[in-house]
Amino acid sequence: MNKNKLFSVLVPLVSVLLAFLIGCVIMAVLKANPATALGALWKGAFGTKRNVGTTLARSTPLIFTSLCACFAYRCGVFNLGGEGQFLMGSIACCYVATQSGITGLPGIVLCLAAGALAGGLWAAVPGLLKIYRGQNEMIISIMLNYVATLFMGVVYTNWLREGSVPQTMSVPNEVKLTRLFGLRCTSAFIIAVVIGLLIYYFLFYTSMGFQLRAVGLNMTASEFNGFSVKKYILFSFLFSGVIAGIGGSAELLGTQFRLINGFGAGYGFDGVAMALIAQLHPLAAILVAIFFAALRVGSTTMQAATGVPTSVSEIIQALVIVFTVAGLALVKLPEFKAFLERLFPARKEA
Amino acid sequence: MEEILRMEHITKKFGEFYANKDINLDVQKGEVHTLLGENGAGKSTLMNILFGLYQPTDGQIYLHGKRVAIDSPATAVKLGIGMVHQHFMLVEAMTVFENIILGDRNTRGIFIDKDARRKEILELSARYGLDVELDKPITDIAVGAQQRVEILKALYRGAELLVLDEPTAALTDMEVEGLFRIMKKLTGEGKSIIFISHKMREVLHISDRITILRAGETVKTLNRGETTGEELANLMIGRELAPSHYEKVSESREPVIALSQVDYHKQSKHNGLNGVTLRVGRGEILGIAGVDGNGQSQLAQLVTGVIAPEGGTVDLKGSKVATFSPNGFISENVSHIPEDRNKMGLVGNMSVMENIVLKETDDPQFSDAKGWHLKKRAIRAYAEKMQQKYDIRCQSVLQEARNLSGGNQQKVILARELENEPDLLVAVHPTRGLDIGATRFVHDTMIAARDKGCGVLLISADFDEILEMSDRIVVMFEGAVMGEYSGINPPIDQISLAMAGK
Amino acid sequence: MDMSFVTNLLLASVRMATPLIFVSLAELYSQRAGLTNIGLEGLATIGSLVGFMVSLLTKSPLLGVLAGMMAGILVNMIFAYATITLCAEQIVYGMAINIFAPALAAFIYRIYFGSGSELVQVKLMSTLANAMGITPGNFFTKLLLDQTFMVYLAYALVVFTAVYFNRTKSGLNYKAVGEYPKAAATLGIDVIKTKYLASVICGALAGIGGAYITTCYTTTYVDGNIAGRGFIALAAVIFGRWSAGGVLLACLFFGFFDALQIRLQVASFGLPYQFFQMIPYVATVVVLALIGMKKAGPKSCGKPYRKEER
């Protein structure tokens, strides 16, 4: 049995349990019955076919941003700019969708491509500054998040504003993504999962992905062994931006249809959190994103049924990340390993 | 004679492994007492116990005849024990003055009383001949001066007993002489010194008594006058020291790599190259001798394409190298055993298997469709074959490389670098920190590569290794080549002089 | 452009720089002990909310600031335990704090105020001039007297920090922990204790910085009111080259751009106001790009410290 793998699954699970435990205490303090509340939460997220569709729809942008974070971190760069890249993608997509007049499948492809390009370019800024100026990619990418948010503000309050409400016009029906089985969930979810699978294949089954991971784990050794470290860093930034950019476009074409205040807000950091909980595994990231989406969708039902405010579910989500990261560090400590050995004396020496 | 320190029956276990077993040591006032032993003989563990960094599993320590418990470095300092670690404990961003007064508890007040402290330090430094420039940052002074700062630091804290852990490893002969003068002065003033080394010449020169450790146990304590270098070496290794048993080659061959007047950061004495001209022929080992930090790292990085020269030319297999990149050199079949295996050689968080095929995942042997599909089964089978062939001891090839011992890590690198029969092998300190068995394995493998026609550039600070392995020897000092000598009956005296820049 | 525009701009710069000074000093103390804490945004957020609530309840902005400070310390103890004792990666855990603390703040706000949309407002801290009952006339009296207690505190802290790190024995030891903890330990300095102390100071100052926003700057709490100041503070520490004086200049510089954008928004020039709001963020990127990054800063930042036993 591989202990490391066991722990990498066990730690997040225990963290989720602990977070729910604290969540239940909070519910009890708020004079709600935790069992009823959790039941409502479950029902809201997965109770009906319709709710499952809603949960998957909510998970879609989260999958994109967490894959974005995963991909960059695998190469050792902390792209905290997922949100900005997501927004720039959606802005470019919005322009193509509303201004180009191209519709149908070519229109959709063009919209997504524009979003991918914009996301990638926005990510190239911190990538290039890191490579050529040795600059801290975290601060730069976060600053660019604020710039992107404000820029989107310009777009929906000015340039593409429709009527008196500060929002853009809606994208035409012809480029909206198709709903799956008549649910709220659209083909965007399929795109997200396919991208996740592709990333998984790339990272673990191709030579380039292998080298990219090596760069992420030890840049000096990678350089000595002939890998072009700078190219990989730039590539990982660009591609993680592309993923976020497609995510922004898909969210626009599949769910929101127009840019408006609060579009995409918080998705970037959510993505980082999920990537960390998933320990940078792209397939795990998809599952974690669905779990987080379920908490969010279910919490609305919970609030309606038991009066427990939705922010309780936000606290649970935040606690999961706090516990997971701490737990993963804990199980690596020599003291913890020694403790385990005392607890379960080794059956056979390896 | 008055006894300063007595360590009795010291035992230290790490898990099931005895790092120290029933060690006895006593130090008299005013003597230089040498601890002699190979890597892993238990010298450092014993000294870390004395300095309170480790707690002994068993045994007692007496200072001035009184039993003491040393639970932390702070206690050791209070008891008058000072230690100069092999890797200096100096804060580079701070000045000499700041380093000396750091952690000071003897003076009152919140603020640093610069004038008073400076006066004290200058008095000390004059008394023991430890001249240092107080206001220079540590980064701006030479290694020898940094060592003087360390000694001053210990004396400033009232050390009566000084432990010097391999203090000569990074020094030139001149600097070593200076250090020995200081040591004489210190013992003359009644201080005692524990000197750790494995350089026979120095040990015989400076010690009053010598205690030999082997495999964690005390072998013997001898007076200097009553022993010879040969006896010490035999006691240290535990058997007769076999002379070099490798056949040397002498005839000149077509060069694999030739450097002509190569410059890199010329002004830097310790990290540059100045007009270096040398060549490595097919089927020979060229040994680069020299004290660490005289441009060897830069030379190694240059002939593996990591850095590019600022002047001069490099010819690789007969054609001039235009662009320098590790990848370019690798595709010209140049292999590299880098100086820091954990930092430069291995991806520690990847498995032994992944590290073995690190450079070759694009190869059709390991992937289809130009690298777009890895053949996982073929990779694993190959890695297991290499595990057998290079005697890599690990639980499985899936074990993370960072969990292997140094010797086995080096074997992983050998398997990667030597299996595809390179034209040039650049090996930097290939046996540093390895035990005798692993060292022998690495040496045998390198000789075998040479005999297959590979040119080997061996860079090592271990003079004995250079003498044993090299067919030709080049000495480097402050980035320049000081001379070239035959590896057959090499003129040892001339070479040591050249290493000191003469 | 008339003189009043310039003087108002400068006065506003000082005001806008103040929260940045607190938060940047927080990071300075943290990094000087070898802890890179990117969770400042989160710490400031919780400080801001708690400061707001306590000053609302007690009608005392000063008590609000104290409470914000305590909240910052408490939350940062999570970071300290995880990174110092459990040796979790500092960057990763800083992000965790950035996600956890705002969620906690939002939660407390919703629970306490309900999800009603009416804005609750507090009384802001009064300036020295107000307290003394005078109306400052010219630029200098405004600059020197028309400021809240927090502004004076910020500058006093800068002076204190500069003296502490450069002139005192304790400050020298503190810096050694951030540069080379092993060497510090061999000299009898308690590395772990120093790092925890650094985390207390960091949490306190970041909490104060956040509380400043809700007790001295705006009369109400809204989610996201820290608006990236926690991250700009990180840039300010780099820009200020890890010295108290440098950090002060960097904060004034960034404060100036913040003040400038507000003034320009008012002036409008026919451009969408968001472009002006971008100025502080763009300035941060440009400054970082220009100064480049010679490997600087305390050497042990980001690395966990362990007493080494084999």
Side-chain angles (χ1 to χ4, degrees), chain B residues 429-442:
Chain B
H429 311 308
T431 59
R432 186 172 269 182
L434 266 49
D435 62 26
I436 296 175
T439 300
R440 190 48 63 85
F441 186 90
V442 171

mmCIF file of all heavy atoms in Angstrom, chain B residues 429-442:
data_model
loop_
_atom_site.group_PDB
_atom_site.id
_atom_site.type_symbol
_atom_site.label_atom_id
_atom_site.label_comp_id
_atom_site.label_asym_id
_atom_site.label_seq_id
_atom_site.Cartn_x
_atom_site.Cartn_y
_atom_site.Cartn_z
ATOM 1 N N HIS B 429 32.909 16.377 -8.405
ATOM 2 C CA HIS B 429 32.872 15.773 -7.054
ATOM 3 C C HIS B 429 31.992 14.521 -7.045
ATOM 4 O O HIS B 429 31.056 14.431 -6.262
ATOM 5 C CB HIS B 429 32.320 16.754 -6.025
ATOM 6 C CG HIS B 429 32.948 18.103 -6.068
ATOM 7 N ND1 HIS B 429 34.303 18.286 -6.034
ATOM 8 C CD2 HIS B 429 32.416 19.343 -6.161
ATOM 9 C CE1 HIS B 429 34.582 19.578 -6.090
ATOM 10 N NE2 HIS B 429 33.461 20.244 -6.176
ATOM 11 N N PRO B 430 32.290 13.556 -7.917
ATOM 12 C CA PRO B 430 31.337 12.453 -8.084
ATOM 13 C C PRO B 430 31.189 11.574 -6.848
ATOM 14 O O PRO B 430 30.212 10.844 -6.748
ATOM 15 C CB PRO B 430 31.918 11.646 -9.254
ATOM 16 C CG PRO B 430 33.368 11.979 -9.256
ATOM 17 C CD PRO B 430 33.478 13.385 -8.774
ATOM 18 N N THR B 431 32.137 11.635 -5.921
ATOM 19 C CA THR B 431 32.027 10.729 -4.770
ATOM 20 C C THR B 431 31.907 11.491 -3.454
ATOM 21 O O THR B 431 32.082 10.926 -2.387
ATOM 22 C CB THR B 431 33.262 9.811 -4.688
ATOM 23 O OG1 THR B 431 34.433 10.626 -4.567
ATOM 24 C CG2 THR B 431 33.380 8.954 -5.917
ATOM 25 N N ARG B 432 31.594 12.784 -3.537
ATOM 26 C CA ARG B 432 31.505 13.586 -2.312
ATOM 27 C C ARG B 432 30.417 13.018 -1.393
ATOM 28 O O ARG B 432 29.282 12.824 -1.802
ATOM 29 C CB ARG B 432 31.189 15.034 -2.669
ATOM 30 C CG ARG B 432 31.215 15.963 -1.476
ATOM 31 C CD ARG B 432 31.085 17.402 -1.897
ATOM 32 N NE ARG B 432 32.409 18.001 -2.125
ATOM 33 C CZ ARG B 432 32.578 19.269 -2.468
ATOM 34 N NH1 ARG B 432 31.545 20.052 -2.632
ATOM 35 N NH2 ARG B 432 33.784 19.747 -2.639
ATOM 36 N N GLY B 433 30.792 12.753 -0.161
ATOM 37 C CA GLY B 433 29.818 12.282 0.826
ATOM 38 C C GLY B 433 29.422 10.825 0.665
ATOM 39 O O GLY B 433 28.485 10.372 1.328
ATOM 40 N N LEU B 434 30.106 10.089 -0.208
ATOM 41 C CA LEU B 434 29.741 8.682 -0.412
ATOM 42 C C LEU B 434 30.622 7.771 0.440
ATOM 43 O O LEU B 434 31.767 8.112 0.738
ATOM 44 C CB LEU B 434 29.915 8.326 -1.893
ATOM 45 C CG LEU B 434 28.682 8.434 -2.780
ATOM 46 C CD1 LEU B 434 27.987 9.755 -2.594
ATOM 47 C CD2 LEU B 434 29.049 8.223 -4.232
ATOM 48 N N ASP B 435 30.095 6.604 0.819
ATOM 49 C CA ASP B 435 30.928 5.673 1.581
ATOM 50 C C ASP B 435 31.887 4.951 0.634
ATOM 51 O O ASP B 435 31.845 5.118 -0.585
ATOM 52 C CB ASP B 435 30.069 4.686 2.386
ATOM 53 C CG ASP B 435 29.198 3.829 1.479
ATOM 54 O OD1 ASP B 435 29.581 3.622 0.312
ATOM 55 O OD2 ASP B 435 28.143 3.383 1.935
ATOM 56 N N ILE B 436 32.766 4.131 1.221
ATOM 57 C CA ILE B 436 33.846 3.556 0.421
ATOM 58 C C ILE B 436 33.308 2.653 -0.690
ATOM 59 O O ILE B 436 33.782 2.698 -1.826
ATOM 60 C CB ILE B 436 34.819 2.779 1.333
ATOM 61 C CG1 ILE B 436 35.487 3.753 2.301
ATOM 62 C CG2 ILE B 436 35.882 2.066 0.523
ATOM 63 C CD1 ILE B 436 36.363 3.110 3.328
ATOM 64 N N GLY B 437 32.290 1.872 -0.355
ATOM 65 C CA GLY B 437 31.740 0.961 -1.353
ATOM 66 C C GLY B 437 31.189 1.700 -2.555
ATOM 67 O O GLY B 437 31.505 1.374 -3.710
ATOM 68 N N ALA B 438 30.384 2.724 -2.290
ATOM 69 C CA ALA B 438 29.774 3.488 -3.377
ATOM 70 C C ALA B 438 30.841 4.229 -4.166
ATOM 71 O O ALA B 438 30.780 4.321 -5.400
ATOM 72 C CB ALA B 438 28.745 4.464 -2.825
ATOM 73 N N THR B 439 31.856 4.746 -3.460
ATOM 74 C CA THR B 439 32.942 5.454 -4.130
ATOM 75 C C THR B 439 33.639 4.528 -5.122
ATOM 76 O O THR B 439 33.873 4.879 -6.281
ATOM 77 C CB THR B 439 33.965 5.956 -3.095
ATOM 78 O OG1 THR B 439 33.304 6.825 -2.193
ATOM 79 C CG2 THR B 439 35.108 6.683 -3.761
ATOM 80 N N ARG B 440 33.928 3.316 -4.647
ATOM 81 C CA ARG B 440 34.590 2.347 -5.517
ATOM 82 C C ARG B 440 33.733 2.059 -6.753
ATOM 83 O O ARG B 440 34.217 2.002 -7.878
ATOM 84 C CB ARG B 440 34.858 1.080 -4.697
ATOM 85 C CG ARG B 440 35.744 0.019 -5.305
ATOM 86 C CD ARG B 440 37.035 0.549 -5.891
ATOM 87 N NE ARG B 440 37.984 1.169 -5.013
ATOM 88 C CZ ARG B 440 38.919 0.547 -4.289
ATOM 89 N NH1 ARG B 440 39.011 -0.749 -4.296
ATOM 90 N NH2 ARG B 440 39.771 1.210 -3.556
ATOM 91 N N PHE B 441 32.424 1.929 -6.535
ATOM 92 C CA PHE B 441 31.518 1.644 -7.644
ATOM 93 C C PHE B 441 31.547 2.773 -8.668
ATOM 94 O O PHE B 441 31.644 2.545 -9.878
ATOM 95 C CB PHE B 441 30.090 1.445 -7.128
ATOM 96 C CG PHE B 441 29.114 1.012 -8.185
ATOM 97 C CD1 PHE B 441 28.898 -0.335 -8.452
ATOM 98 C CD2 PHE B 441 28.407 1.954 -8.946
ATOM 99 C CE1 PHE B 441 28.021 -0.740 -9.435
ATOM 100 C CE2 PHE B 441 27.530 1.560 -9.935
ATOM 101 C CZ PHE B 441 27.336 0.207 -10.172
ATOM 102 N N VAL B 442 31.481 4.004 -8.178
ATOM 103 C CA VAL B 442 31.493 5.158 -9.087
ATOM 104 C C VAL B 442 32.808 5.194 -9.867
ATOM 105 O O VAL B 442 32.823 5.368 -11.091
ATOM 106 C CB VAL B 442 31.291 6.477 -8.296
ATOM 107 C CG1 VAL B 442 31.515 7.681 -9.187
ATOM 108 C CG2 VAL B 442 29.894 6.519 -7.687
#
